[in-house]
Amino acid sequence: MRVLLVLLFALAAGGASAADLKLLTAGAYKSAAIEIVADFEKKTGHKVTIETGTAGALQKRVADGEYFDVLVIPPIPMASLLRTRVAESSAKELARAGVGMAIKQGAPVPDISEVDGFKKALLAARAIAYIDPAAGGSSGIYLAQLFQQMGIADQLKPKSVLVQGGLVADRIVDGKADIALQQSSELMGVPGVQFVGPIPLMVQNYTIYSGGVSLASRNRAAADALLLALANPENGKILKSKGLDSP
């Protein structure tokens, strides 16, 4: 893999001018992408613009014809774009993300290691922020189903703060919620917010994030090299530091 990366970086950087690449990524993978892309730019001289959105929103943007070079979303929405917008042979699994909980910095930390404690924390909360399922975010879709399965959906509905996209923990910062639920990688590192931890394993949901190269990329060699950099097995430490796991 190391030799292949070196060769692709050399080929990608070997053109007369550096390429400008556009990476569309679901928010859960953004923090890892930023760090990996910075190293990629240094090694190749290329410039990468990173844009984010929910998986559903990005799927629609790409399906509607928006230009991109590399796309990172879960496999199911990715599947609908293969062979029409994304090169099927390029698809690679990049990372795995689980759902976590965050609270305001300094607030009492609930014990959510078990399902009963998690349920108690939710029922005791003044307001709970999570991604609006209708916005197409993986965590929001799962949480809505989970609340139904736990039998607390009706009790949580009046105090649910539905977020259309971005960092759900921002609703803690602005006081609109005292609990935020989202992929752990999107909760960690938000100023003024304390990451409690992943939700209990018994009710945990992991989302795989896959990358693919656009069939319409104007610099396929550079786009291929970027995706290979994102898929490098040596990214494990970076992923872990951002609240993600290797796929």
Side-chain angles (χ1 to χ4, degrees), residues 17 24 28 41 52 69 71 73 127 138 142 146 168 193 205 211 222:
S17 60
L24 297 179
E41 290 179 326
T52 62
D69 293 286
L71 174 68
I73 55 175
S138 303
Y142 173 71
L146 176 61
V168 169
V193 172
N205 180 69

Side-chain angles (χ1 to χ4, degrees), residues 18 43 66 88 99 151 154 157 164 172 208 231 242:
K43 289 178 177 177
E66 180 172 336
E88 184 174 18
V99 179
D154 290 342
K157 185 175 181 180
Q164 298 306 304
I172 292 178
I208 295 292
K242 305 302 181 183

Side-chain angles (χ1 to χ4, degrees), residues 20-76:
D20 289 318
L21 300 173
K22 182 176 179 179
L23 169 64
L24 297 179
T25 178
Y29 187 71
K30 180 182 178 181
S31 58
I34 290 173
E35 188 164 334
I36 296 168
V37 162
D39 183 64
F40 172 80
E41 290 179 326
K42 183 185 295 184
K43 289 178 177 177
T44 65
H46 300 317
K47 292 297 180 183
V48 182
T49 299
I50 301 175
E51 294 186 14
T52 62
T54 65
L58 292 179
Q59 178 187 21
K60 185 178 187 303
R61 285 165 59 179
V62 170
D64 288 347
E66 180 172 336
Y67 181 85
F68 71 99
D69 293 286
V70 175
L71 174 68
V72 179
I73 55 175
I76 292 178

Side-chain angles (χ1 to χ4, degrees), residues 25-34 36 71-76 78 91-99 138 183-186 205-212 227-247:
T25 178
Y29 187 71
K30 180 182 178 181
S31 58
I34 290 173
I36 296 168
L71 174 68
V72 179
I73 55 175
I76 292 178
M78 179 78 78
K92 293 176 175 61
E93 292 185 348
L94 307 180
R96 185 182 75 161
V99 179
S138 303
Q183 309 287 18
S184 295
S185 59
E186 296 179 89
N205 180 69
Y206 293 101
T207 301
I208 295 292
Y209 289 88
S210 297
L227 181 56
L228 199 59
L230 296 175
N232 187 351
E234 296 181 5
N235 291 338
K237 288 184 179 180
I238 294 175
L239 296 177
K240 184 65 68 176
S241 71
K242 305 302 181 183
L244 297 163
D245 295 313
S246 297

Side-chain angles (χ1 to χ4, degrees), residues 83-242:
R83 296 185 297 277
T84 57
R85 300 284 287 137
V86 176
E88 184 174 18
S89 61
S90 71
K92 293 176 175 61
E93 292 185 348
L94 307 180
R96 185 182 75 161
V99 179
M101 175 187 286
I103 59 174
K104 186 174 182 178
Q105 190 74 43
V109 179
D111 181 0
I112 62 169
S113 58
E114 302 292 341
V115 176
D116 285 346
F118 176 56
K119 181 177 180 180
K120 181 180 178 181
L122 294 177
L123 293 174
R126 172 182 58 86
I128 301 165
Y130 57 97
I131 290 288
D132 186 346
S138 303
S139 62
I141 292 171
Y142 173 71
L143 288 168
Q145 297 170 346
L146 176 61
F147 297 157
Q148 289 285 351
Q149 294 169 4
M150 294 175 67
I152 58 175
D154 290 342
Q155 292 164 277
L156 298 188
K157 185 175 181 180
K159 55 184 178 181
S160 292
V161 179
L162 301 181
V163 181
Q164 298 306 304
L167 298 175
V168 169
D170 286 343
R171 299 290 75 79
I172 292 178
V173 178
D174 64 20
K176 293 181 179 178
D178 47 3
I179 282 181
L181 299 170
Q182 197 173 17
Q183 309 287 18
S184 295
S185 59
E186 296 179 89
L187 298 174
M188 297 173 65
V190 177
V193 172
Q194 180 171 349
F195 179 62
V196 176
I199 66 174
L201 186 60
M202 288 292 293
V203 292
Q204 181 60 268
N205 180 69
Y206 293 101
T207 301
I208 295 292
Y209 289 88
S210 297
V213 174
S214 171
L215 287 168
S217 174
R218 291 189 283 265
N219 193 326
R220 181 62 185 268
D224 284 341
L226 173 58
L227 181 56
L228 199 59
L230 296 175
N232 187 351
E234 296 181 5
N235 291 338
K237 288 184 179 180
I238 294 175
L239 296 177
K240 184 65 68 176
S241 71
K242 305 302 181 183

